[in-house]
Amino acid sequence: CNYGPSARVIDNIISKELVLKYQTDSIANEELYDIISNGRVRFNKSDITYEPCALYFIESGDLSLLIENCDEQALVEFR
């Protein structure tokens, strides 16, 4: 079960429409969900008070993502 803070944030993010911030980042939706699902939120690099949507920094394998977690969608930026 996903009870930790990182797991709860990731569950919340993947429950939304994922949108790539830059169209040059071409990746299948299923792969993007897998990358995020297998990642860990780095709260020390995140800004949960950012307005209008919280910013979460997620590391998954060799990949780093900055995700703007809004009410209806999550905007994904590869770092």
Side-chain angles (χ1 to χ4, degrees):
C1 294
N2 295 330
Y3 296 114
S6 181
R8 288 196 310 265
V9 169
I10 287 174
D11 285 347
N12 178 267
I13 289 170
I14 63 173
S15 72
K16 301 174 182 180
E17 175 189 9
L18 300 179
V19 178
L20 293 172
K21 185 170 185 174
Y22 300 110
Q23 295 193 3
T24 54
D25 292 332
S26 178
I27 188 167
N29 250 7
E30 297 80 25
E31 189 175 356
L32 188 55
Y33 280 100
D34 286 343
I35 291 168
I36 295 170
S37 294
N38 294 316
R40 290 196 46 83
V41 177
R42 298 297 177 207
F43 289 99
N44 62 328
K45 295 181 179 181
S46 299
D47 185 355
I48 62 172
T49 62
Y50 190 79
E51 293 290 334
C53 309
L55 294 176
Y56 291 100
F57 189 87
I58 295 179
E59 292 178 342
S60 181
D62 293 337
L63 298 173
S64 297
L65 303 100
L66 185 63
I67 299 179
E68 192 171 337
N69 190 24
C70 300
D71 291 337
E72 302 292 322
Q73 67 183 15
L75 191 62
V76 180
E77 176 185 348
F78 284 91
R79 289 296 183 107

